[in-house]
Amino acid sequence: MNPRTPARLAIDGGTPVRERLLPYGRQTIEDDDVAAVTAMLREPLLTTGPHVSALEVALAGRCGVEHAVAVNNGTTALHAMYAAAGLREGDEVVVPPVTFAATAVAALWCGARPVFADLDPDTLNLSAERAAAAVTARTRFVTTVDFAGLPSDAVSLGHATQRPIYCDGAHSLGATAHGRPVQATFAATTTSFHPVKHITTGEGGAVLTNDAAFAARVRRFRHHNLVLTPEVGPWAYDLVEPGMNYRLPDINAALGVSQLTKLDRFLARRRALAQRYRARLAPFADVLDGPPGDVDTHAWHLFVVRVRGAFAQRRRWVFEALRAEGIGVQMHYAPLHLHTLFRERFGHAEGDFPVAEDYGRRAISLPIFPAMTDSDHDDVIEALGRVLGVNP
Ligand SMILES: Cc1ncc(COP(=O)(O)O)c(C=O)c1O
């Protein structure tokens, strides 16, 4: 086709760039993953057992921490981390408004209040300055989020807020900060093994920490908070505080052990794709803001662009036009404080967190996952070129 003749957009009835939708994220399951799970199914124990222990040891080693406690998803990992931190009624936790709901909602389950603080406009992670301004006498700790995989700076957050820094690291397995795995820089960190994340166990998650007593509390919480009392009898336990069943089955852990051996390969592909986006999106500078961060320390769970200029008012149309072209764009995330729950319970309103709200109006997540091919990537660029009227 003559490059000067713009193709009719699929949203207007033209032929789409792709017939089948390219998802924004997808797991990579290989033959040895299948073999690991099917072999384990013949073992006597299906729930938490030796495969969970193996996953915990390997994960702690990979993340540069002493202890990993695996649980059944990233949401329950947050609840277990908050419970182990002793969070309770009357307490406050400072969190960013742009994150998945669980970062804040897990505090509500403990009876505590999530207090939002705006993002840093340069990193789009929690602003140390804004977090410090949100601290009160009730603030127990801060939970930062390594948004999209960009490592948070625990040192500046801790210095500014004078509180322990926890991390929702659902996006950042493999990211580094201060020359170490980012998980090693926080009081405790959670991760998620949901299929779109860096490695998967189907559903799963973990809490990572260097604090042995903290890890023991997470371990107890995931198993109903039962305290063994061998002095009473070999069968006996006592219940002091309520806990949950947040156990990860060994079936899932067997998959996790196999997947973890591939993390570096998966990360290398994510980074190559991010680098490729950076290069190919250069001609789009007038219509798109790219994501912040250094390619090699970032874990690139997401690659989020923000529409700008005239398109800043037309994000919904851009999103729908890209979907029509067969590109499975997503939106991570509408700012939490504007959800009904937080508007009604805490009186939040538009204008409370301008950086988060500006982000929330303009963000679009582009596809990025290890099995994405260069040809898939070319399709995304072609669709962006058509929809945004840029010759890539
Ligand atoms: C930032 C963040 N926190 C927590 C979670 C919850 O993880 P899970 O889906 O494993 O419960 C997610 C999942 O999308 C997430 O993106």
Side-chain angles (χ1 to χ4, degrees), residues 24 72-78 98-103 145-148 168-171 190-197 202-205 301-302 332-333:
Y24 85 92
N72 55 351
N73 58 64
T75 302
T76 56
L78 283 159
V98 173
T99 178
F100 184 61
T103 320
V145 178
D146 294 334
F147 186 73
D168 177 342
H171 296 184
T190 59
T191 191
S192 162
F193 305 130
H194 180 277
V196 295
K197 300 296 193 311
E203 295 275 1
H301 164 52
L302 301 175
H332 301 91
Y333 302 90

Side-chain angles (χ1 to χ4, degrees), residues 256-272:
V257 170
S258 177
Q259 287 264 300
L260 192 56
T261 63
K262 304 158 191 225
L263 176 60
D264 287 329
R265 174 159 54 92
F266 291 170
L267 276 170
R269 182 62 187 155
R270 285 182 182 274
R271 287 179 176 140

Side-chain angles (χ1 to χ4, degrees), residues 15-347:
T15 306
V17 171
R18 292 175 68 96
E19 268 180 27
R20 287 187 55 193
L21 193 78
L22 177 70
Y24 85 92
R26 188 171 61 204
Q27 71 275 16
T28 303
I29 300 293
E30 297 168 330
D31 288 351
D32 56 342
D33 297 312
V34 175
V37 175
T38 48
M40 124 18 84
L41 278 169
R42 299 191 187 282
E43 293 181 19
L45 201 66
L46 292 186
T47 187
T48 304
H51 293 272
V52 166
S53 303
L55 176 62
E56 291 175 343
V57 169
L59 187 66
R62 182 61 178 77
C63 294
V65 297
E66 294 290 324
H67 309 280
V69 184
V71 292
N72 55 351
N73 58 64
T75 302
T76 56
L78 283 159
H79 188 198
M81 179 170 79
Y82 289 174
L87 194 68
R88 57 188 68 240
E89 204 168 333
D91 290 342
E92 294 177 355
V93 184
V94 176
V95 298
V98 173
T99 178
F100 184 61
T103 320
V105 171
L108 295 177
W109 292 338
C110 296
R113 175 176 178 170
V115 174
F116 297 110
D118 211 349
L119 308 179
D120 178 319
D122 295 329
T123 65
L124 302 176
N125 275 340
L126 181 63
S127 153
E129 193 185 295
R130 298 286 91 217
V135 166
T136 72
R138 294 168 184 262
T139 308
R140 290 291 301 279
F141 55 83
V142 173
T143 304
T144 185
V145 178
D146 294 334
F147 186 73
L150 180 75
S152 305
D153 186 354
V155 175
S156 59
L157 284 167
H159 190 258
T161 61
Q162 296 295 302
R163 290 293 187 282
I165 308 300
Y166 290 80
C167 179
D168 177 342
H171 296 184
S172 59
L173 196 59
T176 56
H178 303 283
R180 294 189 288 161
V182 70
Q183 295 79 10
T185 66
F186 303 108
T189 311
T190 59
T191 191
S192 162
F193 305 130
H194 180 277
V196 295
K197 300 296 193 311
H198 296 84
I199 62 165
T200 191
T201 57
E203 295 275 1
V207 180
L208 302 146
T209 183
N210 279 321
D211 180 338
F214 191 98
R217 290 196 295 277
V218 174
R219 213 173 277 286
R220 207 163 63 209
F221 188 79
R222 84 171 169 192
H223 187 51
H224 307 279
N225 248 336
L226 304 185
V227 182
L228 298 181
T229 52
E231 64 281 9
V232 177
W235 63 85
Y237 54 81
D238 189 22
L239 200 55
V240 180
E241 288 205 72
M244 290 287 190
N245 173 358
Y246 284 167
R247 293 187 302 266
L248 182 73
D250 255 20
I251 307 169
N252 305 69
L255 178 57
V257 170
S258 177
Q259 287 264 300
L260 192 56
T261 63
K262 304 158 191 225
L263 176 60
D264 287 329
R265 174 159 54 92
F266 291 170
L267 276 170
R269 182 62 187 155
R270 285 182 182 274
R271 287 179 176 140
L273 289 165
Q275 186 67 53
R276 206 171 188 274
Y277 270 134
R278 283 253 161 101
R280 300 286 311 273
L281 291 179
F284 292 76
D286 290 341
V287 289
L288 291 180
D289 286 324
D294 160 51
V295 169
D296 294 329
T297 57
H298 199 300
W300 299 108
H301 164 52
L302 301 175
F303 193 95
V304 184
V305 293
R306 286 157 289 155
V307 284
R308 56 176 294 168
F311 289 109
Q313 312 302 322
R314 304 181 65 204
R315 191 263 309 267
R316 179 176 177 166
W317 179 84
V318 174
F319 188 99
E320 289 176 342
L322 288 167
R323 278 279 179 95
E325 297 295 343
I327 308 302
V329 287
Q330 265 293 358
M331 163 49 184
H332 301 91
Y333 302 90
L336 277 183
H337 66 285
L338 298 178
H339 285 270
T340 304
L341 170 65
F342 295 104
R343 284 182 187 266
E344 291 190 348
R345 202 175 291 190
F346 301 115

